[in-house]
């Protein structure tokens, strides 16, 4: 939130002189408000793809339950008026300890949303991670977020990782500040909502799908304006813009989880900050540190991969203890407010990222929605710190607290 957009001053809907940010703050004060509106504007297959999780989705719910269970004890009679939320991460300054997680094909929920989120992240000055399987190419998105652009890569083992190394090179050329290698998808997962909606390659829309598109005019207009989402990053390797051919490439070529030897090879070639994403065990964090990564990205993929995985917040303290300052530690999965970000700081994270809220925001409100989500988190981080009597982020890390779900290894 900035004083400039006045998002801190509640105003009425339609109040004369109220800024758009003020109106949004009043009408959509929480991520849940945005989610509900998104659900009413997006065809079911697109909404379910983003909103859903693995199996019975108990992993998605567990992330929330674990965060909600964390209690923080405030200190009063403290002057917090001068507090700053800025952080240094890998040698760069960001506005706050939170960022946007990589989300592949989230443009199914809103065509072209990567560009909207990138622009909002740049304006808010928070890290934005573009997924390799996103609907928009590295070269198109990086210039929209020059100060905050990171890139995520899955494993493309064919031809000695030719496609992966080439995307790494393209990301470097485009100015990515950090590379994120995701390891938590060793095999494909099973998401029942996607199966029910016929989300497979090749995509075979049934009558229900056609009906849900026909009854989503805002989404359909975005599709006409911005084109059908496709895996743009793979066009050089497929030699085609055909959606089916690109999806087929993704399906065929992305496979397995990186081995530590492979991560070491990326480490050798990538001279900027390198993170490994999807770490849930302290021993894996230790291996990652051993091969020289700069950041451990603690995540259970938002409950989308292994339904039985622990909430990432519950394994965070053990991982922070294991890493012992040798790498930065970032966490995501289930973060829905600035208060959650502060909870994550208290449990030792250097920063907390979030995924789905940005999709809900854009799907609900168009481009403004991404900025609104960033503003909401920034405001709530400040509010949480003020409520807790923490004058700095470091003070937030020493608050008294209770964390009933903390996992011991
Ligand atoms: C639609 C969608 C697509 C995703 N695609 C990727 C991906 O391509 N690579 C990746 O590392 N993580 C991916 N993730 C996981 C996110 O990076 C992140 O870990 C997760 O969304 C965090 O949970 P949250 O959405 O509850 O904040 C995806 C998540 C969603 C919701």
């Amino acid at each position: 939130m900035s004083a400039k957009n006045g998002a801190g001053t509640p105003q009425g809907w339609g109040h004369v002189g109220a800024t758009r940010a003020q109106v949004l703050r009043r009408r959509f004060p929480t991520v849940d408000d945005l989610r509900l509106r998104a659900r009413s504007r997006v065809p079911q297959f697109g909404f379910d793809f983003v909103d859903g999780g693995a199996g019975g989705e108990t992993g998605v719910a567990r992330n929330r339950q674990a965060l909600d269970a964390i209690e923080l004890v405030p200190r009063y009679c403290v002057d917090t008026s001068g507090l700053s939320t800025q952080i240094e991460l890998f040698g760069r300054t960001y506005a706050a300890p939170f960022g946007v997680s990589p989300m592949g094909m989230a443009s199914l929920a809103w065509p072209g949303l990567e560009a909207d989120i990138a622009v909002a992240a740049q304006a808010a000055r928070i890290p934005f991670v573009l997924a390799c399987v996103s609907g928009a190419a590295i070269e198109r998105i990086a210039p929209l977020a020059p100060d905050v652009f990171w890139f995520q890569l899955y494993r493309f083992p064919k031809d000695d990782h030719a496609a992966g190394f080439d995307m790494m090179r393209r990301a470097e050329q485009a100015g990515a500040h950090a590379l994120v290698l995701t390891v938590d998808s060793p095999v494909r997962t099973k998401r029942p909502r996607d199966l029910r909606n016929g989300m497979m390659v090749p995509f075979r829309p049934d009558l229900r799908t056609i009906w849900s598109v026909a009854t989503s005019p805002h989404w359909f207009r975005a599709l006409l304006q911005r084109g059908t989402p496709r895996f743009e990053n793979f066009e050089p390797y497929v030699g085609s813009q055909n959606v089916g051919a690109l999806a087929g490439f993704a399906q065929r070529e992305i496979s397995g989880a990186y081995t530590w030897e492979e991560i070491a090879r990326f480490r050798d070639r990538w001279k900027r900050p390198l993170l490994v994403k999807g770490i849930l065990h302290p021993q894996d964090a230790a291996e990652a540190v051993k091969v020289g990564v700069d950041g451990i990205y603690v995540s259970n993929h938002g409950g989308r991969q292994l339904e039985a995985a622990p909430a990432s917040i519950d394994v965070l303290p053990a991982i922070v203890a294991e890493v012992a300052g040798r790498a930065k530690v970032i966490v995501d999965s289930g973060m829905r407010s600035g208060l959650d970000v502060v909870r994550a700081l208290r449990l030792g994270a250097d920063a907390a990222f979030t995924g789905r809220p940005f999709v809900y925001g854009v799907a609900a409100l168009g481009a403004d929605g991404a900025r609104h989500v960033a503003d909401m988190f920034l405001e709530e981080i400040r509010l949480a710190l003020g409520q807790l009597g923490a004058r700095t982020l470091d003070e937030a890390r020493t608050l008294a607290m209770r964390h009933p779900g903390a996992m011991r290894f």
Side-chain angles (χ1 to χ4, degrees):
M1 181 193 76
S2 68
K4 214 170 44 196
N5 67 22
T9 325
Q11 298 281 352
W13 173 242
H15 175 94
V16 178
T19 66
R20 172 94 170 132
Q22 288 164 342
V23 171
L24 295 182
R25 184 177 184 273
R26 183 182 154 99
R27 289 202 63 203
F28 304 97
T30 69
V31 169
D32 235 31
D33 294 300
L34 294 167
R35 178 179 174 274
L36 287 178
R37 181 160 161 119
R39 193 166 65 182
S40 72
R41 283 162 50 103
V42 174
Q44 188 170 357
F45 67 86
F47 181 79
D48 281 347
F49 172 66
V50 168
D51 195 62
E57 302 188 358
T58 58
V60 179
R62 189 177 306 114
N63 284 326
R64 267 316 323 155
Q65 288 154 6
L67 282 158
D68 284 336
I70 295 162
E71 300 166 29
L72 303 174
V73 186
R75 297 301 305 273
Y76 293 126
C77 312
V78 179
D79 177 8
T80 57
S81 54
L83 74 84
S84 161
T85 59
Q86 277 198 3
I87 52 158
E88 278 280 311
L89 211 46
F90 308 124
R92 302 189 81 84
T93 304
Y94 295 98
F98 96 103
V100 189
S101 297
M103 286 178 289
M105 286 318 277
S107 44
L108 285 174
W110 203 259
L113 96 176
E114 292 91 352
D116 299 329
I117 300 176
V119 167
Q122 171 72 21
R125 223 185 158 80
I126 55 169
F128 166 72
V129 194
L130 183 73
C132 62
V133 287
S134 67
I138 301 166
E139 292 79 3
R140 203 150 66 76
I141 298 300
L144 303 176
D147 297 315
V148 298
F149 182 72
W150 300 10
F151 185 66
Q152 175 269 338
L153 252 189
Y154 279 128
R155 179 172 179 269
F156 297 74
K158 194 173 163 209
D159 297 334
D160 195 28
H161 303 274
F165 283 134
D166 191 60
M167 278 185 269
M168 181 185 80
R169 176 194 61 75
R170 289 165 56 196
E172 183 174 16
Q173 222 161 46
H177 302 298
L179 181 68
V180 177
L181 302 178
T182 299
V183 297
D184 63 8
S185 312
V187 294
R188 289 191 199 292
T189 187
K190 180 170 170 180
R191 296 192 195 120
R193 288 205 227 181
D194 291 349
L195 291 171
R196 285 185 209 112
N197 291 328
M199 291 279 294
M200 52 196 70
V201 179
F203 184 46
R204 293 193 201 291
D206 59 11
L207 276 180
R208 195 164 62 105
T209 306
I210 294 165
W211 176 250
S212 82
V213 169
T215 52
S216 307
H218 298 97
W219 182 91
F220 195 60
R221 193 176 327 124
L223 184 76
L224 293 179
Q225 285 167 350
R226 295 172 154 195
T228 306
R230 57 176 197 272
F231 300 96
E232 277 183 12
N233 277 323
F234 307 151
E235 286 177 8
Y237 318 118
V238 176
S240 157
Q241 296 191 336
N242 178 276
V243 180
L246 292 163
F249 176 87
Q251 175 98 342
R252 255 189 342 270
E253 307 297 338
I254 299 177
S255 106
Y258 291 102
T259 64
W260 295 116
E261 292 73 26
E262 289 168 346
I263 292 172
R265 292 180 63 202
F266 278 87
R267 172 70 293 177
D268 277 352
R269 296 181 185 206
W270 176 260
K271 304 299 176 203
R272 300 178 193 165
L274 180 71
L275 294 93
V276 178
K277 176 171 182 280
I279 298 290
L280 290 172
H281 198 295
Q283 287 306 309
D284 286 343
E287 292 293 333
V289 169
K290 234 191 272 171
V291 300
V293 306
D294 304 283
I296 307 292
Y297 198 137
V298 180
S299 172
N300 65 19
H301 217 108
R304 295 169 68 81
Q305 289 299 128
L306 172 66
E307 185 183 3
S312 36
I313 199 75
D314 284 346
V315 297
L316 176 66
I319 290 175
V320 169
E322 179 69 40
V323 169
R326 292 173 293 163
K328 295 285 184 193
V329 180
I330 288 172
V331 64
D332 79 10
S333 299
M335 307 286 157
R336 293 294 176 269
S337 68
L339 176 60
D340 289 336
V341 174
V342 174
R343 285 175 161 135
L345 294 185
R346 174 59 188 88
L347 295 180
D350 290 289
F353 282 34
T354 187
R356 295 180 182 94
F358 281 93
V359 182
Y360 300 144
V362 177
L365 302 168
D368 281 357
R371 185 61 211 244
H372 179 51
V373 172
D375 282 346
M376 186 190 299
F377 271 75
L378 289 169
E379 180 197 21
E380 290 170 355
I381 291 170
R382 297 187 76 85
L383 288 177
L385 293 171
Q387 286 278 350
L388 289 161
R391 286 166 299 190
T392 62
L393 298 179
D394 278 341
E395 279 190 4
R397 295 188 165 98
T398 62
L399 293 161
M401 60 108 193
R402 174 161 40 208
H403 179 197
M407 193 172 255
R408 305 196 198 296
F409 288 84

